[in-house]
Amino acid sequence: MENSFLSEFKKRNYFNQCTNYEELEQLMNKNKIRAYIGFDCTSSSLHVGSLLQIMCLRLLQKYGHQPIVLLGGGTTRIGDPSGKEETRKILPEKVIEKNTKNIENVFKIFLKTKNKNTKPIFVNNYKWLGKLNYIKFLRKIGIHFTINKMLSFDSIKIRLDREQSLSYMEFNYMILQAYDFLELNKNKNCSMQIGGSDQWGNIVNGVELIKRHSNKQVFGLTTPLITLSSGSKMGKTEKGAVWLDKKLLTTYDYWQFWRNTDDEDVLRFLQMFTDLSLEKIEELKNKNINQLKIILANETTSMLHGKAAAAKAEQTAKNTFEKKSVGTDLPTLILKKKQVINGINIIDLVTATNLSNSKSEVRRMIKNKGIKINNETVESDKFNILLNNFGKENFLKLSHGKKNHVIVKIN
RNA sequence: GGAGGGGUACCAAAGUGGUCAAAUGGGGCGGGCUGUAAACCCGUUGACUUCGGUCUUCGAAGGUUCGAAUCCUUCUCCCUCCA
Protein backbone atom coordinates (compact mmCIF):
# COMPACT_ATOMS: atom_id res chain seq x y z
CA MET A 1 0.00 0.00 0.00
CA GLU A 2 1.15 3.45 -0.85
CA ASN A 3 2.64 5.52 1.92
CA SER A 4 1.59 9.14 2.23
CA PHE A 5 5.00 10.44 3.18
CA LEU A 6 6.75 8.64 0.36
CA SER A 7 4.17 9.56 -2.19
CA GLU A 8 4.46 13.24 -1.39
CA PHE A 9 8.23 12.84 -1.28
CA LYS A 10 8.09 11.61 -4.85
CA LYS A 11 5.56 14.12 -6.08
CA ARG A 12 7.65 16.98 -4.82
CA ASN A 13 10.64 15.72 -6.80
CA TYR A 14 12.63 14.80 -3.74
CA PHE A 15 13.08 11.21 -4.78
CA ASN A 16 16.19 9.84 -6.36
CA GLN A 17 16.84 6.30 -5.11
CA CYS A 18 15.86 4.03 -2.27
CA THR A 19 17.54 0.91 -0.96
CA ASN A 20 14.27 -1.00 -0.69
CA TYR A 21 11.22 1.03 -1.53
CA GLU A 22 8.47 -1.54 -0.98
CA GLU A 23 9.62 -2.53 2.45
CA LEU A 24 10.17 1.05 3.43
CA GLU A 25 6.57 1.74 2.45
CA GLN A 26 5.39 -1.08 4.65
CA LEU A 27 7.45 0.10 7.57
CA MET A 28 6.31 3.69 7.30
CA ASN A 29 2.69 2.66 7.02
CA LYS A 30 2.99 0.58 10.14
CA ASN A 31 5.15 2.79 12.35
CA LYS A 32 6.24 6.32 12.90
CA ILE A 33 9.96 6.15 12.34
CA ARG A 34 13.08 8.14 13.02
CA ALA A 35 15.23 9.17 10.08
CA TYR A 36 18.43 11.12 9.92
CA ILE A 37 20.36 13.37 7.63
CA GLY A 38 23.96 14.26 8.27
CA PHE A 39 25.30 17.76 7.72
CA ASP A 40 28.82 18.72 7.11
CA CYS A 41 30.23 21.48 9.30
CA THR A 42 32.77 22.92 6.91
CA SER A 43 31.18 26.34 6.63
CA SER A 44 29.90 28.79 9.15
CA SER A 45 26.28 28.22 8.27
CA LEU A 46 24.11 26.44 5.75
CA HIS A 47 23.14 27.80 2.36
CA VAL A 48 20.39 27.02 -0.10
CA GLY A 49 22.29 23.99 -1.29
CA SER A 50 21.13 22.24 1.88
CA LEU A 51 17.58 23.45 1.70
CA LEU A 52 16.26 20.36 -0.03
CA GLN A 53 17.51 18.15 2.79
CA ILE A 54 15.91 20.48 5.29
CA MET A 55 12.64 20.23 3.40
CA CYS A 56 12.86 16.46 3.66
CA LEU A 57 13.08 16.73 7.43
CA ARG A 58 10.07 19.02 7.47
CA LEU A 59 8.15 16.53 5.40
CA LEU A 60 8.99 13.79 7.89
CA GLN A 61 7.53 15.95 10.63
CA LYS A 62 4.43 16.63 8.61
CA TYR A 63 3.64 12.92 8.58
CA GLY A 64 4.45 12.37 12.21
CA HIS A 65 7.92 10.92 11.83
CA GLN A 66 10.82 12.23 13.83
CA PRO A 67 13.90 13.73 12.21
CA ILE A 68 17.37 13.32 13.60
CA VAL A 69 19.80 16.03 12.63
CA LEU A 70 23.32 14.71 12.67
CA LEU A 71 25.93 17.41 12.86
CA GLY A 72 29.15 16.10 11.43
CA GLY A 73 31.49 17.47 14.06
CA GLY A 74 33.51 14.27 13.83
CA THR A 75 33.38 13.48 10.14
CA THR A 76 34.15 17.07 9.21
CA ARG A 77 37.47 16.48 10.93
CA ILE A 78 38.16 13.88 8.23
CA GLY A 79 36.58 15.31 5.07
CA ASP A 80 34.23 13.52 2.72
CA PRO A 81 35.95 12.58 -0.55
CA SER A 82 32.61 12.15 -2.40
CA GLY A 83 32.48 14.39 -5.39
CA LYS A 84 35.69 16.10 -4.47
CA GLU A 85 38.57 16.17 -6.86
CA GLU A 86 41.09 17.00 -4.22
CA THR A 87 41.60 16.51 -0.57
CA ARG A 88 39.79 19.29 1.11
CA LYS A 89 41.48 21.46 3.64
CA ILE A 90 40.95 20.28 7.15
CA LEU A 91 39.60 22.97 9.41
CA PRO A 92 40.83 23.79 12.89
CA GLU A 93 38.75 22.10 15.57
CA LYS A 94 37.58 25.37 17.07
CA VAL A 95 36.13 26.49 13.77
CA ILE A 96 34.30 23.22 13.35
CA GLU A 97 32.75 23.54 16.76
CA LYS A 98 31.60 27.05 16.10
CA ASN A 99 30.14 26.04 12.76
CA THR A 100 28.31 23.18 14.40
CA LYS A 101 26.50 25.53 16.75
CA ASN A 102 25.53 27.96 14.00
CA ILE A 103 24.21 25.18 11.84
CA GLU A 104 22.13 23.77 14.65
CA ASN A 105 20.45 27.15 14.94
CA VAL A 106 19.37 27.03 11.32
CA PHE A 107 17.40 23.88 12.01
CA LYS A 108 15.71 25.44 14.97
CA ILE A 109 14.15 27.90 12.56
CA PHE A 110 13.07 25.45 9.90
CA LEU A 111 11.90 22.56 12.04
CA LYS A 112 8.97 22.44 14.37
CA THR A 113 10.15 22.02 17.91
CA LYS A 114 6.96 21.93 19.94
CA ASN A 115 5.49 18.50 19.25
CA LYS A 116 7.18 16.00 21.54
CA ASN A 117 6.92 13.17 19.02
CA THR A 118 8.29 14.94 15.99
CA LYS A 119 10.68 17.53 17.35
CA PRO A 120 14.17 17.16 15.94
CA ILE A 121 16.81 15.23 17.82
CA PHE A 122 20.21 16.82 17.50
CA VAL A 123 23.31 14.70 17.68
CA ASN A 124 26.96 15.43 16.98
CA ASN A 125 28.95 12.48 15.73
CA TYR A 126 32.11 13.77 17.37
CA LYS A 127 30.58 12.51 20.57
CA TRP A 128 31.13 8.90 19.55
CA LEU A 129 33.69 9.16 16.77
CA GLY A 130 35.95 11.28 18.94
CA LYS A 131 36.51 8.52 21.42
CA LEU A 132 36.75 5.48 19.19
CA ASN A 133 39.41 3.00 20.07
CA TYR A 134 41.27 2.08 16.91
CA ILE A 135 41.85 -1.60 17.61
CA LYS A 136 38.36 -2.20 18.92
CA PHE A 137 36.88 -0.32 16.01
CA LEU A 138 38.77 -2.36 13.46
CA ARG A 139 37.76 -5.62 15.10
CA LYS A 140 34.12 -4.68 15.50
CA ILE A 141 33.43 -2.58 12.42
CA GLY A 142 36.39 -2.89 10.09
CA ILE A 143 35.82 -6.59 9.74
CA HIS A 144 32.56 -5.95 7.90
CA PHE A 145 34.19 -3.96 5.13
CA THR A 146 36.19 -5.42 2.30
CA ILE A 147 38.72 -3.31 0.52
CA ASN A 148 37.56 -4.86 -2.73
CA LYS A 149 34.12 -3.43 -2.22
CA MET A 150 35.30 -0.11 -0.92
CA LEU A 151 37.44 0.42 -3.99
CA SER A 152 34.40 -0.02 -6.16
CA PHE A 153 32.51 2.95 -4.71
CA ASP A 154 32.30 5.94 -6.94
CA SER A 155 33.77 8.36 -4.46
CA ILE A 156 36.90 6.22 -4.28
CA LYS A 157 36.92 4.87 -7.81
CA ILE A 158 36.79 8.23 -9.49
CA ARG A 159 39.78 9.43 -7.57
CA LEU A 160 41.75 6.32 -8.35
CA ASP A 161 40.78 6.27 -12.01
CA ARG A 162 41.95 9.80 -12.39
CA GLU A 163 45.11 8.90 -10.59
CA GLN A 164 44.43 11.58 -8.04
CA SER A 165 45.75 10.97 -4.61
CA LEU A 166 43.39 9.87 -1.89
CA SER A 167 44.67 9.83 1.63
CA TYR A 168 44.09 6.93 3.94
CA MET A 169 42.27 9.35 6.20
CA GLU A 170 39.69 10.15 3.53
CA PHE A 171 39.45 6.53 2.54
CA ASN A 172 38.05 5.88 6.00
CA TYR A 173 35.30 8.44 5.65
CA MET A 174 32.68 6.05 4.37
CA ILE A 175 33.27 3.65 7.21
CA LEU A 176 32.79 6.41 9.72
CA GLN A 177 29.55 7.50 8.11
CA ALA A 178 28.34 3.93 8.08
CA TYR A 179 29.25 3.70 11.73
CA ASP A 180 27.20 6.82 12.45
CA PHE A 181 24.15 5.09 11.10
CA LEU A 182 24.83 2.03 13.20
CA GLU A 183 25.26 4.18 16.28
CA LEU A 184 22.00 6.02 15.63
CA ASN A 185 20.21 2.80 14.93
CA LYS A 186 21.36 1.29 18.20
CA ASN A 187 20.93 4.30 20.45
CA LYS A 188 18.20 6.34 18.81
CA ASN A 189 16.27 3.64 17.04
CA CYS A 190 16.87 5.35 13.73
CA SER A 191 15.84 3.30 10.74
CA MET A 192 16.46 5.51 7.75
CA GLN A 193 19.11 7.80 6.37
CA ILE A 194 18.31 10.44 3.80
CA GLY A 195 20.92 12.29 1.78
CA GLY A 196 21.82 13.79 -1.54
CA SER A 197 22.47 11.47 -4.45
CA ASP A 198 26.20 11.92 -3.94
CA GLN A 199 25.76 10.23 -0.58
CA TRP A 200 24.33 7.02 -2.01
CA GLY A 201 27.51 5.03 -1.55
CA ASN A 202 28.00 6.15 2.00
CA ILE A 203 24.38 5.45 2.84
CA VAL A 204 24.37 1.96 1.34
CA ASN A 205 27.43 1.18 3.41
CA GLY A 206 25.56 2.10 6.55
CA VAL A 207 22.57 0.00 5.62
CA GLU A 208 24.80 -3.00 4.93
CA LEU A 209 26.85 -2.52 8.04
CA ILE A 210 23.73 -2.62 10.19
CA LYS A 211 22.53 -5.70 8.36
CA ARG A 212 25.79 -7.51 9.04
CA HIS A 213 26.48 -6.21 12.49
CA SER A 214 23.01 -6.20 14.00
CA ASN A 215 21.06 -8.18 11.46
CA LYS A 216 18.50 -5.41 11.18
CA GLN A 217 16.85 -3.95 8.13
CA VAL A 218 17.21 -0.20 7.73
CA PHE A 219 16.71 2.08 4.74
CA GLY A 220 18.47 4.66 2.65
CA LEU A 221 16.77 7.30 0.58
CA THR A 222 18.41 9.87 -1.63
CA THR A 223 17.39 13.14 -3.21
CA PRO A 224 18.48 14.28 -6.64
CA LEU A 225 21.16 16.85 -7.15
CA ILE A 226 19.31 20.03 -7.98
CA THR A 227 20.63 21.86 -10.93
CA LEU A 228 19.21 25.03 -12.35
CA SER A 229 17.82 24.85 -15.83
CA SER A 230 20.96 26.72 -16.80
CA GLY A 231 22.87 23.66 -15.71
CA SER A 232 24.73 25.17 -12.81
CA LYS A 233 24.55 24.05 -9.23
CA MET A 234 22.06 25.74 -7.05
CA GLY A 235 22.98 27.98 -4.18
CA LYS A 236 25.82 30.06 -5.40
CA THR A 237 25.31 33.43 -7.00
CA GLU A 238 27.63 36.12 -8.23
CA LYS A 239 27.75 37.60 -4.80
CA GLY A 240 28.47 34.37 -3.03
CA ALA A 241 26.51 31.77 -1.21
CA VAL A 242 22.82 32.20 -0.54
CA TRP A 243 22.94 31.74 3.19
CA LEU A 244 20.12 30.50 5.32
CA ASP A 245 21.18 32.93 7.99
CA LYS A 246 20.04 36.45 8.75
CA LYS A 247 23.49 37.47 9.81
CA LEU A 248 25.01 36.46 6.51
CA LEU A 249 22.30 37.46 4.05
CA THR A 250 19.57 40.04 4.43
CA THR A 251 15.91 39.17 4.05
CA TYR A 252 15.67 41.37 1.00
CA ASP A 253 18.59 39.64 -0.74
CA TYR A 254 17.15 36.25 0.10
CA TRP A 255 13.79 37.29 -1.29
CA GLN A 256 15.48 38.62 -4.42
CA PHE A 257 17.33 35.35 -4.90
CA TRP A 258 14.03 33.52 -5.22
CA ARG A 259 12.37 36.27 -7.20
CA ASN A 260 15.15 35.92 -9.78
CA THR A 261 14.53 32.23 -10.39
CA ASP A 262 14.63 31.11 -14.03
CA ASP A 263 11.21 30.66 -15.62
CA GLU A 264 11.93 27.00 -16.19
CA ASP A 265 12.59 26.34 -12.54
CA VAL A 266 9.67 28.11 -10.91
CA LEU A 267 7.12 25.31 -10.70
CA ARG A 268 9.67 22.78 -9.65
CA PHE A 269 10.92 25.09 -6.92
CA LEU A 270 7.42 25.76 -5.67
CA GLN A 271 7.05 22.03 -5.20
CA MET A 272 10.41 21.53 -3.65
CA PHE A 273 10.89 24.55 -1.45
CA THR A 274 7.50 25.69 -0.25
CA ASP A 275 4.77 24.27 1.96
CA LEU A 276 2.08 24.99 -0.60
CA SER A 277 0.06 21.88 -1.21
CA LEU A 278 0.51 20.13 -4.51
CA GLU A 279 -3.13 20.83 -5.37
CA LYS A 280 -2.60 24.50 -4.72
CA ILE A 281 0.47 24.55 -6.95
CA GLU A 282 -1.51 22.81 -9.65
CA GLU A 283 -4.09 25.60 -9.44
CA LEU A 284 -1.45 28.27 -9.62
CA LYS A 285 0.19 26.75 -12.64
CA ASN A 286 -1.51 29.00 -15.14
CA LYS A 287 -0.84 32.20 -13.31
CA ASN A 288 1.48 34.77 -14.73
CA ILE A 289 5.06 33.60 -14.33
CA ASN A 290 6.13 36.72 -12.49
CA GLN A 291 3.26 36.31 -10.04
CA LEU A 292 4.50 32.80 -9.39
CA LYS A 293 7.97 34.04 -8.72
CA ILE A 294 6.62 36.46 -6.15
CA ILE A 295 4.70 33.66 -4.48
CA LEU A 296 7.81 31.54 -4.48
CA ALA A 297 9.86 34.33 -2.95
CA ASN A 298 7.26 35.05 -0.30
CA GLU A 299 6.82 31.42 0.69
CA THR A 300 10.50 30.61 0.94
CA THR A 301 11.36 33.85 2.70
CA SER A 302 8.55 33.50 5.21
CA MET A 303 9.83 30.11 6.18
CA LEU A 304 13.23 31.49 7.10
CA HIS A 305 12.69 35.11 8.05
CA GLY A 306 9.02 35.20 8.96
CA LYS A 307 5.91 36.43 7.20
CA ALA A 308 6.25 40.07 8.16
CA ALA A 309 9.84 40.28 6.98
CA ALA A 310 8.93 38.63 3.70
CA ALA A 311 6.10 41.09 3.15
CA LYS A 312 8.48 43.94 3.78
CA ALA A 313 10.92 42.56 1.26
CA GLU A 314 8.16 42.18 -1.28
CA GLN A 315 7.05 45.76 -0.74
CA THR A 316 10.59 47.00 -1.12
CA ALA A 317 10.98 45.08 -4.34
CA LYS A 318 7.72 46.48 -5.62
CA ASN A 319 8.76 50.04 -4.85
CA THR A 320 12.19 49.55 -6.30
CA PHE A 321 11.34 47.75 -9.50
CA GLU A 322 7.79 48.77 -10.34
CA LYS A 323 7.63 52.29 -9.01
CA LYS A 324 11.32 52.96 -9.49
CA SER A 325 11.24 54.32 -6.01
CA VAL A 326 12.70 52.96 -2.78
CA GLY A 327 11.70 50.62 0.00
CA THR A 328 12.58 50.26 3.62
CA ASP A 329 14.47 47.04 3.10
CA LEU A 330 17.13 48.55 0.88
CA PRO A 331 20.49 48.95 2.53
CA THR A 332 20.93 52.49 3.84
CA LEU A 333 23.95 54.69 4.19
CA ILE A 334 23.65 57.63 6.54
CA LEU A 335 25.74 60.74 6.02
CA LYS A 336 26.20 63.82 8.16
CA LYS A 337 25.05 67.06 6.65
CA LYS A 338 28.48 68.62 6.86
CA GLN A 339 29.90 65.73 4.77
CA VAL A 340 27.61 66.74 1.95
CA ILE A 341 27.58 70.48 2.18
CA ASN A 342 30.64 70.95 -0.01
CA GLY A 343 29.68 68.13 -2.31
CA ILE A 344 30.74 64.50 -2.38
CA ASN A 345 32.39 62.96 -5.39
CA ILE A 346 30.35 60.16 -6.92
CA ILE A 347 33.20 57.67 -6.72
CA ASP A 348 33.67 58.32 -3.04
CA LEU A 349 29.98 57.97 -2.42
CA VAL A 350 29.65 54.66 -4.21
CA THR A 351 32.67 53.16 -2.51
CA ALA A 352 31.31 54.26 0.85
CA THR A 353 28.36 51.92 0.28
CA ASN A 354 28.60 48.20 -0.18
CA LEU A 355 27.84 48.56 -3.89
CA SER A 356 31.52 48.54 -4.68
CA ASN A 357 34.80 48.89 -2.91
CA SER A 358 37.01 49.64 -5.87
CA LYS A 359 37.32 53.09 -7.36
CA SER A 360 38.47 51.67 -10.67
CA GLU A 361 35.36 49.56 -10.83
CA VAL A 362 33.15 52.56 -10.18
CA ARG A 363 34.90 54.51 -12.94
CA ARG A 364 34.28 51.60 -15.26
CA MET A 365 30.66 51.41 -14.18
CA ILE A 366 30.16 55.09 -14.89
CA LYS A 367 31.74 54.70 -18.30
CA ASN A 368 29.35 51.84 -19.01
CA LYS A 369 26.37 53.86 -17.79
CA GLY A 370 25.70 51.61 -14.86
CA ILE A 371 25.62 54.11 -11.99
CA LYS A 372 22.44 56.05 -11.37
CA ILE A 373 21.27 58.60 -8.86
CA ASN A 374 17.51 58.77 -8.46
CA ASN A 375 17.18 56.83 -11.73
CA GLU A 376 19.36 59.24 -13.66
CA THR A 377 22.55 57.97 -15.21
CA VAL A 378 25.69 59.54 -13.86
CA GLU A 379 27.66 60.67 -16.87
CA SER A 380 30.99 61.64 -15.38
CA ASP A 381 33.19 60.34 -12.63
CA LYS A 382 33.75 63.96 -11.65
CA PHE A 383 30.12 64.33 -10.67
CA ASN A 384 29.61 65.85 -7.25
CA ILE A 385 26.60 65.13 -5.14
CA LEU A 386 25.21 68.25 -3.52
CA LEU A 387 22.50 68.86 -0.99
CA ASN A 388 19.95 69.53 -3.70
CA ASN A 389 20.40 66.00 -5.05
CA PHE A 390 18.72 64.82 -1.90
CA GLY A 391 14.99 65.37 -2.16
CA LYS A 392 12.69 66.97 0.35
CA GLU A 393 13.00 63.95 2.59
CA ASN A 394 16.76 64.15 2.66
CA PHE A 395 17.56 60.95 0.84
CA LEU A 396 18.57 59.76 -2.59
CA LYS A 397 18.67 56.41 -4.31
CA LEU A 398 22.01 55.26 -5.59
CA SER A 399 21.95 52.41 -8.10
CA HIS A 400 24.61 50.06 -9.37
CA GLY A 401 23.16 48.34 -12.38
CA LYS A 402 19.49 47.51 -12.39
CA LYS A 403 19.27 45.38 -9.34
CA ASN A 404 21.47 46.90 -6.71
CA HIS A 405 20.26 49.95 -4.91
CA VAL A 406 21.22 51.79 -1.78
CA ILE A 407 19.47 54.61 0.00
CA VAL A 408 21.73 57.46 1.05
CA LYS A 409 20.28 59.61 3.79
CA ILE A 410 21.37 62.82 5.41
CA ASN A 411 21.06 62.89 9.10
C1' G B 1 64.43 7.61 -0.18
C1' G B 2 65.22 7.77 -6.04
C1' A B 3 63.43 9.68 -11.14
C1' G B 4 60.45 12.93 -13.82
C1' G B 5 56.36 16.73 -14.58
C1' G B 6 54.20 21.05 -12.86
C1' G B 7 52.51 25.87 -9.88
C1' U B 8 50.34 32.10 -14.80
C1' A B 9 44.50 36.51 -13.15
C1' C B 10 37.80 34.14 -10.58
C1' C B 11 38.42 29.16 -13.39
C1' A B 12 40.61 26.61 -17.59
C1' A B 13 44.66 27.58 -20.56
C1' A B 14 48.60 30.16 -23.97
C1' G B 15 53.02 32.74 -23.43
C1' U B 16 59.87 30.27 -22.59
C1' G B 17 64.36 37.51 -22.59
C1' G B 18 61.71 43.48 -24.58
C1' U B 19 55.95 44.68 -28.81
C1' C B 20 53.18 41.51 -21.44
C1' A B 21 48.74 44.23 -16.96
C1' A B 22 49.84 39.16 -19.83
C1' A B 23 46.45 35.68 -26.09
C1' U B 24 41.98 32.65 -26.07
C1' G B 25 37.60 30.32 -23.82
C1' G B 26 34.34 30.10 -19.73
C1' G B 27 32.52 32.86 -15.69
C1' G B 28 31.52 37.80 -13.57
C1' C B 29 30.02 42.87 -14.14
C1' G B 30 27.59 46.82 -17.09
C1' G B 31 24.57 48.34 -21.40
C1' G B 32 20.75 47.00 -25.29
C1' C B 33 16.27 43.86 -26.11
C1' U B 34 12.57 42.10 -22.34
C1' G B 35 9.31 40.58 -17.73
C1' U B 36 13.92 41.88 -11.99
C1' A B 37 13.32 35.36 -17.04
C1' A B 38 15.90 32.69 -20.98
C1' A B 39 18.32 33.37 -25.62
C1' C B 40 20.93 36.93 -28.37
C1' C B 41 24.02 41.49 -29.41
C1' C B 42 27.65 45.23 -27.55
C1' G B 43 31.11 46.91 -23.90
C1' U B 44 34.13 45.69 -19.75
C1' U B 45 37.00 42.49 -16.37
C1' G B 46 44.68 44.18 -11.22
C1' A B 47 44.91 48.87 -8.08
C1' C B 48 45.41 54.13 -7.92
C1' U B 49 45.13 58.40 -11.09
C1' U B 50 45.29 65.48 -11.96
C1' C B 51 43.58 60.43 -17.73
C1' G B 52 49.69 62.36 -19.05
C1' G B 53 50.71 58.16 -16.40
C1' U B 54 52.15 55.68 -11.65
C1' C B 55 52.35 51.29 -8.62
C1' U B 56 51.72 46.00 -7.71
C1' U B 57 51.06 41.00 -10.04
C1' C B 58 52.71 34.90 -13.44
C1' G B 59 54.25 29.59 -6.09
C1' A B 60 58.39 32.29 -2.40
C1' A B 61 63.18 34.54 -1.75
C1' G B 62 67.57 35.90 -4.04
C1' G B 63 70.68 36.51 -8.61
C1' U B 64 72.10 37.47 -14.06
C1' U B 65 70.58 41.52 -17.51
C1' C B 66 69.77 48.12 -19.90
C1' G B 67 65.34 44.90 -19.55
C1' A B 68 62.54 38.69 -16.56
C1' A B 69 56.17 35.33 -16.32
C1' U B 70 60.32 33.74 -19.53
C1' C B 71 67.49 32.48 -17.84
C1' C B 72 70.35 30.82 -13.01
C1' U B 73 70.32 29.43 -7.50
C1' U B 74 67.82 28.09 -3.12
C1' C B 75 63.24 27.12 -0.86
C1' U B 76 58.15 25.56 -1.03
C1' C B 77 53.66 23.13 -2.55
C1' C B 78 51.15 19.71 -5.93
C1' C B 79 51.11 15.49 -9.39
C1' U B 80 53.08 10.87 -11.71
C1' C B 81 56.38 6.73 -11.67
C1' C B 82 59.99 3.59 -8.99
C1' A B 83 61.48 1.78 -3.91
Side-chain angles (χ1 to χ4, degrees):
Chain A
M1 200 186 90
E2 206 172 63
N3 174 266
S4 49
F5 166 82
L6 286 170
S7 108
E8 183 162 350
F9 193 89
K10 276 190 162 170
K11 283 183 189 150
R12 286 194 185 267
N13 296 312
Y14 295 172
F15 184 81
N16 181 241
Q17 291 187 89
C18 179
T19 51
N20 189 333
Y21 193 83
E22 285 72 31
E23 287 187 35
L24 179 60
E25 259 181 340
Q26 285 172 23
L27 175 71
M28 291 188 90
N29 280 337
K30 208 164 61 189
N31 299 324
K32 297 300 176 199
I33 66 163
R34 283 180 177 166
Y36 96 93
I37 302 184
F39 294 86
D40 196 68
C41 302
T42 37
S43 58
S44 60
S45 188
L46 294 180
H47 53 77
V48 209
S50 303
L51 189 55
L52 185 62
Q53 324 307 335
I54 298 176
M55 297 306 293
C56 291
L57 297 180
R58 287 171 63 96
L59 195 64
L60 280 168
Q61 291 188 314
K62 180 177 170 185
Y63 288 99
H65 303 286
Q66 187 167 29
I68 298 174
V69 176
L70 180 136
L71 299 160
T75 30
T76 301
R77 284 166 164 85
I78 301 303
D80 184 359
S82 306
K84 302 283 174 320
E85 298 201 348
E86 299 164 2
T87 303
R88 50 160 92 207
K89 290 200 180 68
I90 300 301
L91 298 169
E93 307 217 335
K94 269 192 186 158
V95 176
I96 294 177
E97 271 161 36
K98 202 175 154 219
N99 292 348
T100 308
K101 274 188 197 137
N102 284 340
I103 289 170
E104 183 170 341
N105 287 331
V106 176
F107 289 99
K108 289 185 173 153
I109 297 170
F110 279 100
L111 299 177
K112 297 185 176 67
T113 52
K114 296 226 172 80
N115 183 326
K116 209 172 64 206
N117 296 317
T118 64
K119 72 175 182 190
I121 299 170
F122 291 97
V123 291
N124 184 336
N125 63 7
Y126 189 60
K127 204 178 144 199
W128 56 84
L129 295 181
K131 54 184 183 205
L132 280 181
N133 175 300
Y134 197 54
I135 298 294
K136 282 186 193 158
F137 181 75
L138 290 179
R139 286 174 65 98
K140 217 173 89 182
I141 306 301
I143 192 148
H144 296 297
F145 288 84
T146 67
I147 295 286
N148 318 49
K149 185 90 187 272
M150 285 172 77
L151 290 176
S152 73
F153 279 91
D154 263 4
S155 58
I156 304 295
K157 216 174 93 187
I158 289 171
R159 282 276 196 96
L160 295 181
D161 285 352
R162 291 193 191 159
E163 304 194 329
Q164 283 157 339
S165 79
L166 175 79
S167 70
Y168 180 66
M169 176 178 80
E170 293 173 278
F171 185 59
N172 277 268
Y173 185 92
M174 65 164 84
I175 301 188
L176 294 182
Q177 185 166 331
Y179 182 72
D180 281 345
F181 199 175
L182 177 65
E183 181 75 20
L184 289 176
N185 177 254
K186 275 205 298 206
N187 297 326
K188 304 282 180 199
N189 194 25
C190 173
S191 46
M192 172 160 75
Q193 180 178 179
I194 306 176
S197 55
D198 58 332
Q199 293 298 310
W200 178 250
N202 292 334
I203 292 173
V204 168
N205 264 317
V207 172
E208 287 181 5
L209 175 64
I210 293 169
K211 181 85 192 163
R212 285 195 207 107
H213 181 277
S214 318
N215 197 26
K216 281 202 254 174
Q217 159 99 311
V218 292
F219 300 89
L221 186 60
T222 57
T223 59
L225 180 72
I226 323 161
T227 47
L228 305 182
S229 55
S230 61
S232 56
K233 254 195 196 177
M234 186 183 182
K236 297 264 158 81
T237 66
E238 318 73 63
K239 286 174 211 146
V242 180
W243 296 105
L244 302 174
D245 190 328
K246 283 176 207 179
K247 277 176 249 151
L248 299 174
L249 190 76
T250 64
T251 306
Y252 176 70
D253 286 332
Y254 190 70
W255 195 92
Q256 278 293 318
F257 167 76
W258 291 103
R259 172 63 246 258
N260 283 308
T261 301
D262 285 11
D263 286 10
E264 303 296 312
D265 293 326
V266 174
L267 277 173
R268 203 160 54 105
F269 284 4
L270 280 169
Q271 293 174 339
M272 290 198 273
F273 300 115
T274 72
D275 287 333
L276 294 177
S277 70
L278 292 161
E279 297 76 40
K280 177 84 182 166
I281 294 170
E282 194 58 32
E283 276 170 39
L284 291 171
K285 221 172 169 176
N286 299 318
K287 264 202 167 185
N288 171 287
I289 189 82
N290 284 313
Q291 290 301 309
L292 289 182
K293 289 185 192 184
I294 291 170
I295 294 170
L296 175 64
N298 280 335
E299 288 294 320
T300 49
T301 307
S302 300
M303 206 180 284
L304 175 58
H305 296 267
K307 260 211 162 84
K312 239 175 94 186
E314 183 189 358
Q315 192 55 48
T316 295
K318 237 184 202 145
N319 290 346
T320 312
F321 290 97
E322 290 173 25
K323 299 180 189 157
K324 299 276 178 216
S325 161
V326 296
T328 48
D329 251 13
L330 290 182
T332 305
L333 174 74
I334 295 171
L335 296 176
K336 295 242 158 55
K337 198 163 188 171
K338 65 180 174 198
Q339 289 175 276
V340 185
I341 211 137
N342 295 319
I344 287 190
N345 175 259
I346 181 67
I347 294 177
D348 294 331
L349 183 66
V350 178
T351 49
T353 68
N354 58 5
L355 293 175
S356 174
N357 49 23
S358 155
K359 293 187 181 184
S360 301
E361 201 226 324
V362 179
R363 287 200 179 87
R364 229 178 279 133
M365 285 291 295
I366 291 171
K367 217 195 289 176
N368 292 337
K369 307 205 178 303
I371 298 285
K372 290 183 181 147
I373 286 182
N374 293 329
N375 305 322
E376 287 195 30
T377 308
V378 174
E379 300 290 347
S380 157
D381 58 12
K382 304 249 177 14
F383 185 80
N384 266 300
I385 290 91
L386 300 165
L387 276 176
N388 60 19
N389 292 110
F390 294 80
K392 278 177 220 145
E393 287 161 60
N394 276 338
F395 73 85
L396 59 76
K397 182 175 74 169
L398 184 61
S399 312
H400 176 285
K402 281 186 186 126
K403 293 190 184 177
N404 305 301
H405 310 276
V406 165
I407 299 171
V408 181
K409 264 189 184 156
I410 304 180
N411 194 350

